[in-house]
């Protein structure tokens, strides 16, 4: 996904090597690895995997997750960001048509509350979940069917103006060069939050017995460009 050609600081994570100072790992041992995809084509990728039978009690909330928090670059309210993310859902990991999971999110600086922006794979389809402080209106926008993207790379691009003021907040999500949704007049950040950060990987807070026993995903380069 090309970044905008004009101005702005750019931070990218390419997964060519382990950079412990660039991110925090929220996963069980062995759930996250670096390498290439089974079908090749991309040399440096991040691979995440969660399995239902594992004991996730050592992790936050005790919920199944295999995530990387990109804490070396903070996302501040009242700024403008361009974010690019590449994802691949392998055919070996069947889609869950009975429950939700998050693939990437903007996580708020405060520990409590739901993420203000999240791409949710819910019952086999992508949705964009956008919310602000308690008491404000939220949005849950349908994007597309996940089955169309199995075993292929998807390029996501997000134009993001975070604010707890709905009149100043905006977000545009592009998938493979096509605008999928534009959300405005909905708060998409917590009040005066200057410590939010991008988080990628699988977070599956509910996991029924009718769901597949394993979920996994690959991530290519991730970039954040601050435009002002």
């Amino acid at each position: 996904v090309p970044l905008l050609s004009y101005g702005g600081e750019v931070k990218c994570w390419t997964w060519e090597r382990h950079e412990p100072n660039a991110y925090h790992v929220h996963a069980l041992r062995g759930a996250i690895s670096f390498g290439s995809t089974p079908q090749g084509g991309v040399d440096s990728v991040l691979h995440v995997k969660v399995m239902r039978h594992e004991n996730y009690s050592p992790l936050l909330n005790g919920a199944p997750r295999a995530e990387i928090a990109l804490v070396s670059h903070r996302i501040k309210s009242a700024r403008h960001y361009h974010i690019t993310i590449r994802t691949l859902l392998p055919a070996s990991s069947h889609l869950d048509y009975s429950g939700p999971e998050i693939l990437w999110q903007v996580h708020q600086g405060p520990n409590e509350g739901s993420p203000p922006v999240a791409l949710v794979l819910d019952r086999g389809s992508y949705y964009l979940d956008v919310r602000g402080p308690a008491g404000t209106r939220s949005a849950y926008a349908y994007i597309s069917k996940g089955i169309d993207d199995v075993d292929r790379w998807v390029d996501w691009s997000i134009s993001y103006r975070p604010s707890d003021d709905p009149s100043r907040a905006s977000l545009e999500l592009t998938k493979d060069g096509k605008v999928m949704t534009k959300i405005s007049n909905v708060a998409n950040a917590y009040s005066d939050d200057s410590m939010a950060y991008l988080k990628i990987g699988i977070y599956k807070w509910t996991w029924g017995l009718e769901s597949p026993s394993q979920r996994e995903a690959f991530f290519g380069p991730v970039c954040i460009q601050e435009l002002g």
Side-chain angles (χ1 to χ4, degrees), residues 5-147:
S5 59
Y6 51 88
E9 175 191 355
V10 180
K11 171 63 179 177
C12 292
W13 294 263
T14 59
W15 319 123
E16 293 176 355
R17 61 185 181 277
H18 181 47
E19 300 178 88
N21 295 327
Y23 45 75
H24 292 166
V25 174
H26 300 160
L28 298 177
R29 184 181 297 275
I32 287 180
S33 60
F34 303 87
S36 60
T37 58
Q39 59 272 67
V42 178
D43 293 331
S44 300
V45 301
L46 171 71
H47 176 228
V48 302
K49 179 171 65 175
V50 291
M51 304 184 72
R52 188 172 54 210
H53 70 270
E54 297 277 11
N55 175 19
Y56 291 93
S57 61
L59 302 182
L60 182 66
N61 297 339
R65 65 177 77 222
E67 301 175 293
I68 283 188
L70 305 178
V71 295
S72 62
H73 193 95
R74 298 291 177 164
I75 297 174
K76 303 175 177 63
S77 292
R79 304 287 180 88
H80 182 198
Y81 296 92
H82 183 231
I83 302 170
T84 59
I85 305 171
R86 297 196 82 196
T87 62
L88 183 147
L89 303 173
S92 58
S93 180
H94 300 290
L95 293 179
D96 184 356
Y97 288 96
S98 60
E101 61 199 47
I102 291 177
L103 285 179
W104 51 257
Q105 61 181 285
V106 176
H107 195 283
Q108 69 279 13
N111 288 328
E112 295 183 357
S114 299
V117 178
L119 183 74
V120 183
L121 192 55
D122 189 357
R123 295 171 175 81
S125 295
Y126 295 112
Y127 292 84
L128 190 67
D129 189 15
V130 178
R131 60 185 66 227
T136 59
R137 187 167 63 96
S138 61
Y140 198 64
Y142 170 80
I143 304 302
S144 62
K145 294 186 180 301
I147 192 65

Side-chain angles (χ1 to χ4, degrees), residues 111-225:
N111 288 328
E112 295 183 357
S114 299
V117 178
L119 183 74
V120 183
L121 192 55
D122 189 357
R123 295 171 175 81
S125 295
Y126 295 112
Y127 292 84
L128 190 67
D129 189 15
V130 178
R131 60 185 66 227
T136 59
R137 187 167 63 96
S138 61
Y140 198 64
Y142 170 80
I143 304 302
S144 62
K145 294 186 180 301
I147 192 65
D148 297 334
D149 301 327
V150 170
D151 253 4
R152 77 174 191 90
W153 284 104
V154 176
D155 291 317
W156 303 96
S157 176
I158 308 102
S159 175
Y160 180 40
R161 296 179 183 269
S163 179
D164 65 325
D165 180 351
S167 67
R168 296 176 179 271
S170 68
L171 189 151
E172 178 181 288
L173 177 68
T174 299
K175 178 187 177 190
D176 294 331
K178 179 182 178 181
V179 175
M180 304 304 293
T181 188
K182 296 181 180 181
I183 298 176
S184 57
N185 298 314
V186 174
N188 59 15
Y190 283 68
S191 301
D192 302 316
D193 190 357
S194 62
M195 296 298 288
Y197 53 89
L198 191 64
K199 203 174 189 183
I200 64 172
I202 296 174
Y203 172 47
K204 197 165 184 61
W205 62 97
T206 179
W207 204 332
L209 293 177
E210 68 279 10
S211 301
S213 61
Q214 174 179 307
R215 296 291 299 122
E216 60 181 314
F218 292 90
F219 291 83
V222 175
C223 294
I224 301 176
Q225 183 176 20

